[in-house]
Each structure stands twice: as C-alpha cells, then as structure tokens.
Amino acid sequence: MTTRRPGAAVIGLILAVVVVSAAGADTRITLQLKWLPQAQFMGYYVAAQKGYYKAEGLDVLVLPGGVDIIPEQQVFNGTADIGVTWLSSLLAYQDKGWKFVGVAQMFQKSALVLVSRASSGILSPRDLAGRKVGSWFGGNEYPLYALLESAGLDRNRDLELVRQDYSMDQVIRGDIDAASAMTYNELGLLLESGFTRSQLNVIDMNAAGVAMLEDHLFVTSSWLEKNRDVLVRFLRASIKGWKEACRDPEAAGALVYNLGRSVSLAHQVYMAREIARLVAPPGFDPDRIGYMDPAALKQTADYAVKYGLLTKPSDLAAAVDTSSWEQAVGMQRRG
C-alpha cells in the first residue's frame, strides 16, 4: 500500500500541493488517493497526462494522501468527490452508517504477502508456529488472521504477533521471523537492500485463499445520484489510463517519479510492474479493469465480519454499484 521511507510524513506535506489536472476541461472533480504520488496510482496520472480526462470533458484534481489523510473522511466532508481505499476499510465505514458506495475494484488481486529469510524455514503458514510475525495492524491484520486460522494456529497462543514499523529493518536485523509486505513496495525494498529472491520465502495471501481486496474506488451515495454521468466519464478515462500504464509500466513509473521523486526511479518502475500484475493479472481482459468480482467481494466481506472489522454481514448489493462501471466499459468498447 505505501512507500515507507524515513521522513515520509515530511514528504507527504511537501507533496500535498502536487496535483494533476487537465486545464480547461468542463467539469472539475477531485480524486483522493490513499497515499503519496507513486505507481500504485499510475493509471490516474497517465489518464491525466495523456489527455484522457480532458477528452471526456473533465478537469481532474488528484490529491495525494499522507500519514494523517483518511480518504473516507475526505470524501465524506466534500474535499474530494472520489476516493481510493481498501475494500475492507470501506465496508467498515459503511458498517458505521457512512453512506458510501463502491464503484470500481482496481486491484483484482491482493498485494499482501508474508516474507521471511529463506534460512528461517518458513515455507507454509503452519511454519509460523512459535515465531515472531509482524503486522502493521490498522486494518492490515485481517488476512493474516485468516491465514493463521487456515493453518490451525491460534493467533493469541501459538505465535507472537509484533507491531511492524514502516520499513523492513526488523527482518533485516532478524528481530522478527516474518513480516508483512506489499509485493509492489516492501518486497522490493528488501530486494533493493541486497537480498535475492532465493534468499527470501514468500507466503502469498492469494495462493493461500485468504486474500482481501485492496484499492477500491468509492463515492458518497448522494454524489452518485447527482453525478452518475460524470462518474461514467471518469471511469472510462481512468480505465484507458490504467490500460496504458499496464501496457508500459516503465513509462508509467517514470511519469510518477517525475511528479514528486519521493523514492528512486528504479523503485517506482519496480512498483509499476508489480501494480500492473494486480490491476490486470495474466489472463485478465484489460478492457475489464475495475471489475468487481462477486466472489472476491464476498470473501473480503466474510473475513471482515468474521474477524470483527464489521458488526454484521455486509449487504454487498447495497455496498457496491456496478452500473457506472458497466456503462463505462460498454461505451469504451463501442468507441
């Protein structure tokens, strides 16, 4: 999810003024990201740079996130029209009565993995017994809870869960046996620090069958009622931007790097390649970027209520609205 470097909060303040807009477009809308400008959001930046929003009559302002910026609050208070958040977080706010609607699922797969040194011998979830395992918590822990339960492990008794910092130093130093990591960021940081792939073991939440969906676009129900046509145009242009970014992640990574230079060019390009695999996995139709898979939605919602993130089962029929995405994709294919 995040590019976690020393001084990220300061960088976030500096980049809070970085925006991308298509000057002269007819309708101004604002998109709130979940974190700083990085390749995690490259499709929106490509859509702006290539003029895809402008071609739809839109002037899109892209607001970076940061340590203290919560997309749900930004959209709720009207600072932004559209937000990017993890689906589990969106469901939690809906559970509390916030009138949000999910409108597109940008990541088709989860990026969350557990990574450990190959020398640790942690090859399967069962091997986590008796180990120190890191999590950022704050909503990131639920797939890990499901992973442990799938292996028959009691998270309170069979291992030690440790609060993980925003780097991979705890793994590098050997303070913890396994750490949470996003494939597009922290795993790359370990590789950049000198580890090779053969020196690392990775447990993939998707392969383990416990993944929960991440980057998801959402709006308020009241905004959607008044701006459905605007949303369709935004989605159509964004999908086009994401298709371009996934087709040429090296160029997309370089574009994002030039926006703020919060991390190295090499890391942004690495991130762009990994993000492309999440947005349009092998065998996935790029024309369907943003597709909301009912089974994946249900798995996320089921785990969210099972592990206490939600107080009751989510009504997914009300939680998400696929009609704008369907219209955007249909119009794009005819165009």
Side-chain angles (χ1 to χ4, degrees):
M1 175 183 70
T2 61
T3 296
R4 299 181 173 99
R5 295 285 199 182
V10 174
I11 292 171
L13 291 174
I14 294 172
L15 290 178
V17 299
V18 176
V19 298
V20 179
S21 62
D26 297 330
T27 303
R28 164 64 68 89
I29 59 173
T30 302
L31 171 68
Q32 176 65 62
L33 303 182
K34 190 170 177 60
W35 194 245
L36 305 177
Q38 59 183 26
Q40 179 181 356
F41 313 109
M42 61 187 183
Y44 311 116
Y45 291 118
V46 170
Q49 188 208 43
K50 296 285 186 178
Y52 300 153
Y53 291 131
K54 183 175 178 61
E56 293 286 351
L58 299 176
D59 182 0
V60 178
L61 183 69
V62 181
L63 296 179
V67 175
D68 299 319
I69 296 176
I70 299 174
E72 288 87 348
Q73 293 182 2
Q74 294 286 88
V75 172
F76 180 79
N77 66 26
T79 300
D81 302 302
I82 305 169
V84 181
T85 193
W86 283 18
L87 179 60
S88 56
S89 178
L90 178 65
L91 295 176
Y93 275 91
Q94 291 173 328
D95 186 62
K96 296 173 185 175
W98 297 47
K99 304 300 183 182
F100 292 136
V101 180
V103 295
Q105 179 60 51
M106 305 316 294
F107 286 10
Q108 297 302 312
K109 298 175 63 179
S110 169
L112 183 63
V113 298
L114 278 184
V115 62
S116 59
R117 292 172 179 263
S119 59
S120 71
I122 299 175
L123 299 175
S124 72
R126 185 66 193 173
D127 296 327
L128 296 169
R131 307 300 186 101
K132 289 184 178 180
V133 180
S135 173
W136 301 300
F137 296 100
N140 300 281
E141 67 271 28
Y142 300 104
L144 175 57
Y145 291 171
L147 180 75
L148 297 175
E149 183 172 290
S150 73
L153 297 176
D154 185 314
R155 66 178 185 265
N156 298 312
R157 186 178 60 242
D158 295 332
L159 69 158
E160 182 180 353
L161 289 178
V162 178
R163 181 169 294 280
Q164 190 175 320
D165 63 26
Y166 293 136
S167 73
M168 298 306 285
D169 291 345
Q170 290 157 296
V171 172
I172 294 172
R173 293 192 304 261
D175 296 340
I176 59 178
D177 299 300
S180 298
M182 307 306 283
T183 58
Y184 57 81
N185 190 21
E186 288 79 17
L187 181 56
L189 294 179
L190 275 178
L191 295 172
E192 291 168 16
S193 74
F195 285 89
T196 64
R197 289 275 184 175
S198 64
Q199 293 174 317
L200 298 172
N201 290 336
V202 174
I203 297 176
D204 188 324
M205 300 297 171
N206 300 285
V210 297
M212 296 175 71
L213 292 172
E214 291 147 15
D215 288 32
H216 190 96
L217 288 174
F218 71 99
V219 298
T220 63
S221 56
S222 59
W223 188 90
L224 179 59
E225 290 174 3
K226 301 173 184 176
N227 297 280
R228 187 173 293 275
D229 176 66
V230 172
L231 177 61
V232 169
R233 287 185 280 147
F234 171 81
L235 290 175
R236 185 162 57 237
S238 296
I239 291 168
K240 192 172 182 180
W242 274 109
K243 286 177 63 177
E244 175 71 18
C246 292
R247 187 163 50 241
D248 190 355
E250 288 76 14
L255 167 63
V256 177
Y257 171 73
N258 289 327
L259 285 173
R261 306 196 177 197
S262 60
V263 295
S264 70
L265 172 61
H267 191 70
Q268 287 290 10
V269 171
Y270 167 87
M271 186 181 296
R273 293 194 189 105
E274 294 300 318
I275 291 294
R277 295 186 180 99
L278 300 173
V279 173
F284 183 81
D285 182 358
D287 284 335
R288 293 174 65 79
I289 285 173
Y291 171 65
M292 290 181 277
D293 177 35
L297 293 174
K298 185 177 186 302
Q299 177 167 298
T300 299
D302 287 348
Y303 283 141
V305 70
K306 183 175 185 178
Y307 296 108
L309 182 61
L310 307 182
T311 61
K312 59 184 180 300
S314 175
D315 178 5
L316 289 175
V320 300
D321 184 331
T322 64
S323 61
S324 296
W325 175 85
E326 290 167 354
Q327 187 177 353
V329 171
M331 293 175 69
Q332 182 187 33
R333 286 178 171 172
R334 291 197 296 270

